[in-house]
Amino acid sequence: GPPSGVVTFLFTDIEGSTRRWEADADAMRKALAAHDDVLRHQIEAHGGFMFKHTGDGVCAAFAAPKAAVEAAMDAQLTLELPVRMGIATGEAELRDGDYFGAVLNRAARVMAAGHGGQILLADSTASLLSGVDLLDLGQRRLRDVPMPVGLFQVRAPGLQTDFPPLRALDVS
């Protein structure tokens, strides 16, 4: 079943989806279906629980931080669309198949700071991992998050490594 207590959340979003829908709705419809299949498969294969669609992204919960990161990496290697991903770990309340708590806002803001093809982790997740190559991007202020958050980029063979500056308020 769905994890509870301390949970690692993976949030995804297709970068530039509005532009893609406007340019070719039929192609985007097919690409979105393939996107959904890849994410659903990878989340389930790594023991995750997909609890929400956000139009052109998903929200998933994992009991183990490393499983969330591995699902994100495997999905990025397969996805054809530019998908940004954010991962954060913390306490959350599970109610009626949905989650509530500050960690969800943090995961969403971490994701929003990134770019298509990029997997970002909050320090709350990075501190729980071993055996994952992470690039420390430093403390960043994220919209509506009162304290700076340490952000890390996942690096692995086959993943894109160079991205524009993060979409953060400032660098501390």
Side-chain angles (χ1 to χ4, degrees):
S4 59
V6 175
V7 179
T8 299
F9 292 95
L10 166 64
F11 279 45
T12 74
D13 178 61
I14 300 170
E15 188 173 53
S17 63
T18 302
R19 191 172 47 253
R20 291 172 188 279
W21 277 109
E22 293 294 329
D24 188 344
D26 287 337
M28 184 58 183
R29 194 172 292 106
K30 290 175 188 162
L32 185 60
H35 160 274
D36 290 352
D37 288 344
V38 166
L39 284 167
R40 184 178 308 104
H41 173 75
Q42 292 302 337
I43 289 165
E44 290 174 359
H46 291 281
F49 173 70
M50 190 162 66
F51 64 94
K52 188 180 292 185
H53 273 271
T54 60
D56 60 356
V58 300
C59 303
F62 294 82
K66 193 162 187 179
V69 173
E70 289 171 347
M73 289 189 307
D74 289 347
Q76 283 290 25
L77 293 171
T78 308
L79 288 165
E80 295 183 13
L81 292 169
V83 176
R84 55 190 176 168
M85 300 182 181
I87 300 174
T89 302
E91 288 205 34
E93 179 185 345
L94 177 61
R95 188 172 64 233
D96 297 326
D98 202 353
Y99 287 92
F100 301 88
V103 66
L104 285 97
N105 299 327
R106 190 164 299 220
R109 297 299 184 240
V110 169
M111 178 206 61
H115 300 277
Q118 193 169 34
I119 303 169
L120 295 178
L121 308 180
D123 49 8
S124 61
T125 303
S127 66
L128 301 172
L129 296 173
S130 62
V132 178
D133 186 8
L134 300 176
L135 175 63
D136 186 345
L137 301 175
Q139 296 283 316
R140 303 298 173 112
R141 290 207 51 240
L142 304 175
R143 188 170 57 92
D144 298 329
V145 177
M147 299 296 295
V149 176
L151 294 182
F152 295 80
Q153 177 181 310
V154 175
R155 297 189 295 196
L159 292 181
Q160 183 178 340
T161 56
D162 295 323
F163 296 95
L166 293 176
R167 296 177 174 119
L169 298 177
D170 63 12
V171 178
S172 300

